[in-house]
Amino acid sequence: MSKKLRQSIIHLIIWSIVAVGFILIFSRANTIVNWTDNRAEKIILAILFLTGFGGDAILGMAFRGKGNEVDSDERDAAVTGKAMEASYIVTLLYVFLVTISIYTKYESAGTVNVGWLWFIAYSLVIVANVSSSICTIIMYKRLGN
């Protein structure tokens, strides 16, 4: 197993934990409606995202090679490029489907609760990180690694 594949698996685990916490917070009954009054939930989400981005920083340092350069070859660059292309499409589809769904639900009301904007913003970061890791793992598995 290559270093990049191991790094992607750990990255997926970190951001999956963030995603589970995110889902637990936003699946509560009145989180969206009472978003402006939910100070504790905002702090918990900030801690979750600090964990995700902190984990990214630690992974970056842990998987550095000699002389602070990243150990990778042409195959790693090709896999990363294809994985990023695929995750870009997944992320675009996610944004489109979520925003259209929210629009359709609230079209007759004429307004959307601000909590939905925060939901989109936070979830977009999670979807981008999780999809990039999953796509990288799939690309490596297709190569037989």
Side-chain angles (χ1 to χ4, degrees):
M1 181 182 303
S2 74
K3 284 176 80 172
K4 289 288 189 181
L5 179 57
R6 279 194 313 258
Q7 184 177 11
S8 293
I9 291 169
I10 296 168
H11 185 258
L12 177 61
I13 292 168
I14 291 169
W15 281 98
S16 294
I17 292 168
V18 173
V20 168
F22 172 83
I23 290 167
L24 290 174
I25 288 172
F26 272 97
S27 64
R28 293 184 56 214
N30 292 322
T31 299
I32 297 290
V33 174
N34 298 325
W35 181 253
T36 55
D37 299 329
N38 291 334
R39 179 178 163 86
E41 290 174 349
K42 290 177 187 174
I43 291 171
I44 292 169
L45 280 171
I47 292 169
L48 282 170
F49 277 80
L50 182 62
T51 302
F53 289 120
D56 285 349
I58 292 169
L59 274 176
M61 289 184 281
F63 282 90
R64 290 275 178 201
K66 296 175 185 168
N68 208 23
E69 294 179 12
V70 178
D71 288 336
S72 63
D73 56 17
E74 296 81 21
R75 187 187 72 155
D76 291 329
V79 165
T80 301
K82 288 195 180 289
M84 290 301 108
E85 288 175 16
S87 68
Y88 178 73
I89 293 168
V90 169
T91 303
L92 284 176
L93 285 172
Y94 171 77
V95 170
F96 179 78
L97 293 173
V98 167
T99 54
I100 290 298
S101 298
I102 293 170
Y103 171 79
T104 303
K105 181 176 180 176
Y106 292 98
E107 181 179 14
S108 61
T111 61
V112 174
N113 194 297
V114 72
W116 283 113
L117 299 175
W118 283 99
F119 174 85
I120 293 168
Y122 279 122
S123 65
L124 181 59
V125 173
I126 293 170
V127 168
N129 278 288
V130 168
S131 67
S132 68
S133 293
I134 290 172
C135 291
T136 301
I137 292 167
I138 289 169
M139 296 297 172
Y140 272 112
K141 292 298 180 184
R142 282 187 179 171
L143 292 174
N145 197 357

